[in-house]
DNA sequence: TCAATAGTGTCTGTCAGACAATATCGG
DNA sequence: CCGATATTGTCTGACAGACACTATTGA
């Protein structure tokens, strides 16, 4: 007969804080690795969850109290060595959200850590986060993905900072604006500007409603 | 307690035949859907397989008799509705291989079908194949992926046909050659040419050994 | 010599990035 | 008015695609 296999969902919830890409960690309440910080995750409940995305949404709600505007399956990590309890499968999702939403929700047990300053985490969670960072880096080059990190409304300079934090490099301002225009996922919030000091205020934008849950791709990257 | 979850690996083995993207199907030897054609797949053996990739290689060997030069995790399909036996997880890999290798191996129970002419398949295998096709289309735009469909040595015109079949569109010959040069994954097989009729023979190329198992990406796509 | 495909050289419109000018705020 | 950042206009080098020319084979 087949051995039972532990089936879980883990989530890499990414945000931008102080222009750096950060991951949200949750204090584990059970063994193994109780009280240590790790990716939010949990068992798949075959009775309750219709599919993996269902499970991801449920777990995200339980562990962070919010439902991010972007959620996508990343990759599945499985094997005999990654969990001390034995052979396990973890279907990993990655989620993006505006950092302010996490801070204002103030859910207990959460910590935020820059992805390039992580300590050693339980299981293979360092590998998982590395895979998520690679994915977001890739997709940020040719899609509207980082828009989900910027909140409901945002200025183009702020959005450019999101892209730059994802990509880990500065971008040409003129090209960036041209590309955002080309993407066509943004609309201006008429009459709304962002004042941030002794200088000209920036026009605010938001995602067009038809792109609220749909990535748009560029023919040629940024 | 947690319900047991069926854990399997399925494989989308893609080839190019007559300039069309095709998938390799295997006749199922067990219920459910016994004797029907479906994606080659099987249970994860927690005792034998160290991880999912291990399981994929084993299953591919059992069902097709070969080890393709390219194998990558595609996505995980899971849920209550996809398998009549109940909640199941299928970690899906996609593989690429030269069509001639499949034909010469002549493994029993295999059939080849163009991806745009598939009948209704068991489980959610139509969805899975659609996801694989989308992935290969995407990656073919900016990587050396289709090289794995062309065999050990091949001419540039033949490789261009591989790219065109993957992308579903014809490409500019001059640009294609420039891009292959830019990719830098190919080397000429000195003195070897491909004669294919009453015209100038084509120079043969092969993947440089350092790229035998590693994709190379273009800064800007084709 | 012809038909057919391989392979190469050149031109041109398009586009990314550089540069710079203008706009609008607080002080 | 000044410093600072937003926003827009223009120029230029690089490159993708179009076109056309040369190369090499079988018949």
């Amino acid at each position: 007969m087949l051995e039972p296999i532990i089936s879980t969902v883990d989530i890499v919830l990414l945000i931008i804080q102080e222009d750096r890409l950060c991951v949200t960690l949750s204090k584990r309440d059970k063994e193994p690795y109780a009280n240590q910080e790790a990716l939010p995750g949990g068992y798949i409940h075959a009775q309750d969850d219709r599919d993996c995305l269902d499970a991801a949404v449920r777990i995200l709600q339980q562990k962070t109290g919010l439902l991010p505007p972007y959620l996508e399956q990343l990759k599945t990590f499985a094997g005999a060595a990654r969990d001390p309890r034995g052979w396990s499968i973890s279907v990993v999702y990655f989620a993006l959200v505006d950092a302010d939403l996490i801070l204002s929700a103030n859910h207990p047990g959460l910590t935020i850590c820059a992805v390039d300053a992580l300590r050693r985490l339980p299981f293979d969670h360092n590998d998982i986060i590395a895979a998520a960072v690679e994915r977001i880096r890739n997709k940020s080059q040719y899609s509207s993905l980082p828009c989900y990190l910027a909140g409901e409304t945002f200025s183009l300079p702020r959005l450019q900072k999101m892209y730059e934090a994802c990509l880990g490099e500065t971008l040409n301002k003129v090209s960036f604006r041209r590309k955002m225009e080309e993407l066509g996922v943004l609309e201006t919030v008429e009459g709304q500007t962002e004042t941030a000091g002794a200088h000209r205020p920036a026009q605010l934008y938001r995602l067009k409603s038809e792109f609220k849950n749909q990535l748009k791709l560029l023919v040629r990257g940024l």
Side-chain angles (χ1 to χ4, degrees), chain A:
Chain A
M1 254 338 278
L2 291 168
E3 279 183 35
I5 293 178
I6 299 164
S7 300
T8 62
V9 167
D10 289 313
I11 293 160
V12 184
L13 177 57
L14 296 170
I15 60 176
I16 306 291
Q17 206 171 46
E18 293 163 7
D19 297 340
R20 295 171 78 188
L21 190 59
C22 299
V23 62
T24 308
L25 302 176
S26 174
K27 183 165 277 192
R28 290 182 57 82
D29 51 7
K30 294 184 195 142
E31 290 295 341
Y33 305 110
N35 292 318
Q36 290 191 42
E37 280 160 6
L39 291 177
Y43 292 109
I44 291 172
H45 291 174
Q47 310 92 324
D48 310 326
D49 305 322
R50 263 180 319 170
D51 54 32
C52 270
L53 185 60
D54 253 24
V57 168
R58 174 180 57 75
I59 289 165
L60 207 38
Q61 169 65 34
Q62 288 173 355
K63 302 275 179 177
T64 71
L66 40 86
L67 180 58
Y70 189 79
L71 184 60
E72 169 189 307
Q73 188 181 312
L74 172 65
K75 191 180 170 182
T76 295
F77 292 76
R82 57 183 301 280
D83 188 312
R85 290 166 289 183
W87 227 99
S88 66
I89 291 183
S90 170
V91 183
V92 178
Y93 283 74
F94 84 92
L96 304 181
V97 71
D98 177 16
D100 288 343
L101 280 186
I102 294 193
L103 297 177
S104 64
N106 197 26
H107 198 87
L110 293 186
T111 56
I112 290 167
C113 188
V115 295
D116 52 5
L118 284 172
R119 75 181 67 77
R120 186 90 195 84
L121 298 176
F123 309 106
D124 50 359
H125 286 189
N126 290 87
D127 297 336
I128 293 177
I129 293 168
V133 170
E134 194 186 329
R135 174 79 65 95
I136 195 177
R137 287 246 155 101
N138 251 309
K139 286 211 169 182
S140 296
Q141 286 174 356
Y142 59 87
S143 82
S144 55
L145 189 66
C147 296
Y148 300 101
L149 292 160
E152 272 297 306
T153 66
F154 45 83
S155 67
L156 283 184
R158 172 171 156 83
L159 183 60
Q160 184 170 347
K161 289 228 180 278
M162 300 291 147
Y163 271 86
E164 290 173 342
C166 291
L167 294 169
E169 62 182 2
T170 59
L171 295 173
N172 180 284
K173 181 176 52 167
V174 180
S175 290
F176 179 75
R177 285 166 172 268
R178 268 195 300 239
K179 285 297 181 179
M180 287 305 110
E181 173 70 20
E182 184 192 329
L183 262 180
V185 300
L186 301 181
E187 62 186 8
T188 61
V189 187
E190 293 302 336
Q192 295 268 325
T193 56
E194 175 190 70
T195 303
H199 54 79
R200 178 173 173 176
Q203 175 65 50
L204 284 182
Y205 293 80
R206 64 175 159 235
L207 270 182
K208 290 179 184 169
S209 58
E210 63 263 42
F211 298 109
K212 280 285 168 64
N213 267 303
Q214 179 152 11
L215 280 192
K216 187 80 181 294
L217 308 184
L218 284 166
V219 178
R220 274 179 275 276
L222 289 179

